[in-house]
Amino acid sequence: MRQLSLTLSLAFFLTAQALSVAADDTKPGQPGSAAAIERVACSLRPKTEEPSDPSSTSAIPHVEKFVAREHFKEDIASSAPVKISWLGATFARRFTDKVEDDAGGASLQTFVLSAAASDNDILAKLGQSHESRLADVWCALKQQPNGNGGPLETNAKPNVFYVRDIGGELGAVDVLWGGVGWEIGASPVGDKPRWPAGTRVFSR
């Protein structure tokens, strides 16, 4: 009930916002309309049995540490674990040197913005559950390595995660399917409406 209430209040709040542009490293999508919610299960650890829910998957093998540089690389070859066609300079500078402790799996909540919004607006509505990890971003990408269907939008709309960078500062990491691969950008958290309607936001 709390999740439903949060979703409705987020949708209502965002309806009053005006359309604007996306972040530094993002190619903005076109405005959308509806707000929706669902949960996505991701795990860094192999499961002992096949998942019964198709949205739950063992995305990558168990590791003691998640080393961002080993995963986030520009590579659109057919053998690439995830096709990535572009990494933004801000993402490379702030996130590729990050190493995260393996915290096991995560259940990510997703929202589709009904109108444009700023990071601060979104974070205020999400509350304490707003943060994700780079491992969560990678886990979601592993479910859709070639831009196939899944939790991430693949229709030129951004997918946004709020992640702490190498210095511990919260940043917005955005993932967008560019046709031949994923485009991954990042930007500082700001107070100007820049995420267009149709943007999908992921949180814990």
Side-chain angles (χ1 to χ4, degrees):
M1 181 60 71
R2 187 190 68 80
Q3 295 168 358
L4 178 59
S5 176
L6 175 63
T7 306
L8 293 175
S9 62
L10 181 65
F12 176 79
F13 181 83
L14 295 178
T15 302
Q17 302 295 318
L19 293 177
S20 185
V21 296
D24 318 331
D25 281 351
T26 309
K27 298 178 181 178
Q30 298 300 315
S33 55
I37 181 172
E38 60 182 297
R39 295 199 75 85
V40 181
C42 269
S43 177
L44 295 175
R45 299 176 180 175
K47 296 185 183 297
T48 56
E49 57 185 9
E50 290 297 317
S52 57
D53 184 342
S55 68
S56 300
T57 182
S58 174
I60 55 179
H62 170 67
V63 289
E64 292 301 322
K65 301 285 185 180
F66 181 84
V67 182
R69 186 176 296 280
E70 294 178 359
H71 302 284
F72 292 96
K73 307 173 184 177
E74 291 183 359
D75 187 356
I76 58 171
S78 58
S79 58
V82 173
K83 289 186 178 178
I84 298 175
S85 58
W86 179 78
L87 288 178
T90 304
F91 180 86
R93 183 177 70 254
R94 293 182 60 181
F95 292 96
T96 54
D97 287 333
K98 191 176 182 187
V99 177
E100 296 176 337
D101 291 331
D102 176 10
S107 179
L108 301 178
Q109 191 168 224
T110 76
F111 300 89
V112 177
L113 304 186
S114 60
S118 72
D119 296 309
N120 288 344
D121 294 335
I122 296 168
L123 292 174
K125 291 299 177 183
L126 293 179
Q128 295 183 346
S129 64
H130 62 269
E131 287 190 33
S132 298
R133 302 173 305 148
L134 286 179
D136 299 332
V137 180
W138 180 255
C139 193
L141 288 169
K142 279 287 288 182
Q143 294 189 50
Q144 298 168 250
N146 304 306
N148 44 303
L152 295 169
E153 297 284 0
T154 57
N155 56 359
K157 300 291 193 300
N159 301 277
V160 179
F161 299 77
Y162 291 99
V163 183
R164 294 202 178 273
D165 64 12
I166 190 69
E169 183 179 352
L170 190 67
V173 173
D174 56 273
V175 176
L176 183 122
W177 177 250
V180 296
W182 291 100
E183 299 173 359
I184 303 173
S187 56
V189 168
D191 59 1
K192 294 181 180 179
R194 59 180 179 177
W195 300 113
T199 296
R200 184 173 288 266
V201 179
F202 289 75
S203 67
R204 285 248 172 170

